Amino acid sequence: MTGTVAHDPPPATAGRPGRPLIVTEDAALLDDLLRLCAAAGATPEVHHGVPDHGGGWDGAPLVLVGDDAARRVRGAARRRGVVLVGRDQDDPDVWKRAVGIGADHVLMLPDGEQWLIDRIADVAEGVGRPALTVGVIGGRGGAGASTLACALAVTSAHQGLRTLLVDADPLGGGLDVLLGGETAEGLRWPAFAASRGRVGGGALEESLPELHALRVLSWDRGDCVAVPPQAVRAVLAAARRRGGTVVVDLPRRLDDGVAEALAQLDMAVLVVPAELRALAAAGRVASAMGMVVRDLRVAVRGPYGPGLDEDEVARLLGLPLIGTVPVEPALLRPRGTARPPGATGRGPLSRFCTAFWEQALTEAGGPR
């Protein structure tokens, strides 16, 4: 059980990692709290009462006070980010003790363990603005969505932003291949299929292949492994917590796992070739995705069919227009002679991606 007494954790801790403070003399409770800190990747400072020097109490981003120590800390300076932790679910006086020490929350073990792990992990990692997360979807097969997703990610990384590229299509052949890194060391999606609850953002990033100054989560060359929706949610939430940008290459089908990915997007880009058949297919994709995505826009790819231009395609789909995705001549060369999309930092596709990020980041309030 958890309960809120007053207010949220102090905003001053946002983006600033730190050590939680544990105050208790209850050996069994201390063992549990140390176990939860270890699960969250944090090393706490432990005291039986308010630290004599005062810095630990005032400076810790999170203070966990055992119910046994509530009376000993009543005289401490009031601060935010204090959690009173106990075990007796039926104790009616626990709320009075929480108010007496200025606690934000009352938490009872074992019921509140996952909530507390999440809070401690926030402290260990530092919680700032989440990554600007953009999904790319093809209006039909072969629309060039994977190429654009890679180019957007490479361009973001070249601009110095922390960037993670996520391949959400197990049948797409692997974005690591498109980036020339199919043999690069690092984990792929099947390694995260059993993930539940919270995944550490730092651990996730360090475990993935690094290609062209960005991290890539793709698929291996083995049998197709079903990744449950809970694992998709946990992995993408971890990717977003570290800030920067996350680019997700999405399949055209909508299942539970894809719905979890769509729900975490800040924006989705529907790539539509400017011809009538593609437009008809894209209309169905837009209708399905629009039920989940908060901000769906269209990027048109030429050449244009009779009577069509980018504005007409956007009008017929009823979506805001990003622009025309240009053809990158180097990408038309045989495999092995071209760099990955956007890797040169020059050319029409790189300029398109640079302009996209300038607008998207401006709308989002600046780099994250």
Side-chain angles (χ1 to χ4, degrees), residues 246-268:
V246 175
V247 179
V248 186
D249 183 30
L250 292 155
R252 293 169 58 230
R253 69 182 185 281
L254 182 60
D255 57 24
D256 290 343
V258 175
E260 288 289 351
L262 292 172
Q264 298 202 45
L265 299 181
D266 295 303
M267 180 198 305

Side-chain angles (χ1 to χ4, degrees), residues 129 359-368:
R129 297 176 65 194
Q359 179 177 340
L361 290 168
T362 298
E363 292 177 3
R368 302 183 174 205

Side-chain angles (χ1 to χ4, degrees), residues 37-281:
C37 285
T43 302
E45 181 180 349
V46 180
H47 290 270
H48 296 315
V50 178
D52 293 336
H53 53 79
W57 177 269
D58 296 331
L62 181 67
V63 178
L64 309 177
V65 178
D67 198 21
D68 65 291
R71 292 183 179 178
R72 295 195 298 277
V73 303
R74 285 192 66 175
R78 293 302 176 99
R79 52 152 294 163
R80 299 171 68 182
V82 175
V83 180
L84 182 63
V85 185
R87 296 182 185 278
D88 188 353
Q89 304 274 1
D90 300 320
D91 182 358
D93 294 326
V94 67
W95 300 99
K96 295 180 181 178
R97 294 192 292 276
V99 171
I101 65 172
D104 299 325
H105 295 273
V106 173
L107 180 138
M108 294 296 170
L109 299 179
D111 292 355
E113 286 194 356
Q114 187 58 56
W115 181 91
L116 188 54
I117 288 174
D118 289 346
R119 286 289 301 277
I120 297 169
D122 285 344
V123 167
E125 291 186 342
V127 180
R129 297 176 65 194
L132 177 59
T133 305
V134 176
V136 185
I137 310 161
R140 67 154 168 82
S146 295
T147 297
L148 180 58
C150 286
L152 287 172
V154 169
T155 301
S156 170
H158 284 179
Q159 293 177 351
L161 297 172
R162 173 202 165 267
T163 305
L164 196 150
L165 176 62
V166 178
D167 184 352
D169 186 0
L171 303 180
L175 292 186
D176 54 350
V177 177
L178 187 55
L179 291 172
E182 59 267 32
T183 61
E185 294 186 0
L187 299 182
R188 268 68 173 178
W189 264 117
F192 300 98
S195 299
R196 299 293 186 275
R198 183 183 178 108
V199 174
L204 170 68
E205 187 171 345
E206 292 172 4
S207 72
L208 300 177
E210 184 174 5
L211 303 169
H212 307 283
L214 58 93
R215 297 286 180 167
V216 182
L217 176 55
S218 189
W219 300 87
D220 60 15
R221 311 284 89 81
D223 293 337
C224 186
V225 174
V227 178
Q230 305 95 307
V232 175
R233 182 190 316 130
V235 169
L236 285 181
R240 298 191 71 219
R241 280 197 302 272
R242 305 266 303 170
T245 67
V246 175
V247 179
V248 186
D249 183 30
L250 292 155
R252 293 169 58 230
R253 69 182 185 281
L254 182 60
D255 57 24
D256 290 343
V258 175
E260 288 289 351
L262 292 172
Q264 298 202 45
L265 299 181
D266 295 303
M267 180 198 305
V269 178
L270 182 64
V271 183
V272 183
E275 45 97 2
L276 287 177
R277 228 180 130 191
L279 192 57

